[in-house]
Amino acid sequence: MSAIMKLDGIGMKYQSPQDEITALENITFEVEKGEFISIVGPSGCGKSTLLSVMAGLLPDYSGSVEICGKKVAETAAEIGYMLQSDQLFQWRSVWQNVLLGLEIRRMKTAENMEYAKKLLKTYGLYEFSDKRPSELSGGMRQRAALIRTLAVRPEILLLDEAFSALDYQTRLAVCEDIYSIIKQEQKTAVLVTHDISEAISMSDRVIVLTKRPATVRSIHKISFDLDVRSPMACRETAQFRVYFNDIWRELDVHV
Ligand code: ADP
Ligand code: MG
């Protein structure tokens, strides 16, 4: 395996007229191609800031971010970014929503539209192409948002609390769903979440951040004795509990 993303000594400060907030300090790690990484940390520690730096959305960071061997600002096409809310437009049909990323990037070729259609078919949304997002369940909307992100063929998916807005039962089902799509499409993924169980059940490694300013507290390699891995199957193993207790103890949320 080789590193697809390299973060070296990342720091980030927000400036306001009154003061300066240091959100990130000296964050260094690499992400391997095909790896699923989760980043956990206390609320407000700087998780979203870190993901925004990786996405090239915050230019004022210090240190270096390299993606596919390039400086992050030049790699927009390599990155797919998904947020907590599905960000689908209600006045557009599912199909028109899925095409949005291609339109914005001026990539709406016949070949890419065919690929988007194939994704909808493979992942069970094709017959809902003409529906409005409001006619879909929360889980289906999240799947549609992922298909829109995949349609531009990014190398790396950045997911910021992508499942947190869903109720617990739906969240379990959507994690199952999205995990298998990401694996099938052989993508690299970085998930930011405050949910330790979600992180462990989906990841090859879990990175624990300290409270603000976020630094890397520890990195846990996660593996399970399972023939076929799925988030749900992971949750039912004895190893899962051990990882959970280790990581939970390290989160600076306990008073
Ligand atoms: P998390 O995602 O871990 O909850 P964030 O990365 O959103 O944390 O925020 C980290 C810190 O930076 C918080 O204290 C937050 O208030 C601050 N912050 C985030 N965005 C901005 C901004 N645009 N301007 C000033 N401060 C910000
Ligand atoms: Mg956040």
Side-chain angles (χ1 to χ4, degrees):
M1 287 217 279
S2 59
I4 193 168
M5 181 186 296
K6 292 183 183 177
L7 277 72
D8 192 6
I10 300 300
M12 172 72 204
K13 291 180 165 76
Y14 289 108
Q15 306 287 348
S16 77
Q18 300 79 28
D19 58 359
E20 186 180 82
I21 296 171
T22 306
L24 309 175
E25 210 166 70
N26 195 24
I27 294 187
T28 300
F29 62 86
E30 294 187 355
V31 181
E32 304 291 326
K33 192 167 163 54
E35 205 178 12
F36 200 123
I37 294 261
S38 285
I39 297 172
V40 299
S43 172
C45 77
K47 301 183 293 297
S48 295
T49 302
L50 181 57
L51 214 62
S52 298
V53 168
M54 290 181 192
L57 299 173
L58 289 174
D60 293 331
Y61 62 90
S62 55
S64 86
V65 188
E66 240 181 50
I67 293 172
C68 305
K70 293 185 277 185
K71 219 172 117 55
V72 71
E74 297 151 16
T75 56
E78 275 91 347
I79 290 171
Y81 195 48
M82 226 174 110
L83 300 167
Q84 182 170 352
S85 77
D86 54 52
Q87 308 271 317
L88 297 173
F89 292 106
Q90 291 306 327
W91 64 89
R92 289 186 146 220
S93 67
V94 168
W95 175 237
Q96 288 167 332
N97 266 291
V98 164
L99 290 183
L100 193 67
L102 292 174
E103 283 169 16
I104 291 170
R105 291 178 186 198
R106 300 177 195 280
M107 288 170 60
K108 208 172 136 189
T109 61
E111 189 196 348
N112 286 337
M113 286 168 74
E114 203 48 50
Y115 178 63
K117 204 180 278 181
K118 193 195 113 208
L119 288 170
L120 282 170
K121 282 183 184 158
T122 309
Y123 301 116
L125 283 180
Y126 186 64
E127 56 266 48
F128 299 92
S129 296
D130 296 329
K131 301 271 190 231
R132 303 275 153 165
S134 59
E135 296 175 272
L136 270 53
S137 68
M140 289 163 86
R141 282 201 298 274
Q142 210 59 7
R143 216 186 309 155
L146 180 65
I147 290 172
R148 179 175 67 187
T149 309
L150 289 172
V152 299
R153 303 180 209 240
E155 282 294 324
I156 303 178
L157 295 167
L158 303 178
L159 312 167
D160 192 355
E161 304 272 5
F163 316 115
S164 302
L166 304 165
D167 66 76
Y168 184 68
Q169 301 299 333
T170 309
R171 182 148 37 108
L172 290 181
V174 171
C175 283
E176 211 63 12
D177 224 28
I178 303 267
Y179 177 84
S180 83
I181 296 174
I182 287 173
K183 288 295 164 194
Q184 239 165 294
E185 300 296 323
Q186 302 183 321
K187 298 297 177 192
T188 306
V190 180
L191 167 71
V192 154
T193 177
H194 63 268
D195 185 331
I196 306 174
S197 298
E198 189 175 284
I200 297 167
S201 71
M202 298 185 85
S203 309
D204 300 304
R205 283 189 295 156
V206 175
I207 297 178
V208 182
L209 300 179
T210 61
K211 62 182 193 293
R212 188 171 63 82
T215 56
V216 175
R217 166 146 193 178
S218 58
I219 300 182
H220 296 255
K221 195 148 178 42
I222 310 290
S223 68
F224 294 96
D225 301 324
L226 289 169
D227 292 333
V228 181
R229 185 172 168 172
S230 78
M232 200 66 90
C234 293
R235 283 172 188 266
E236 283 159 11
T237 63
Q239 292 139 301
F240 186 88
R241 279 281 113 211
V242 177
Y243 288 130
F244 186 96
N245 288 332
D246 285 353
I247 293 171
W248 186 76
R249 256 185 258 119
E250 287 183 2
L251 279 179
D252 289 331
V253 290
H254 323 296
V255 186

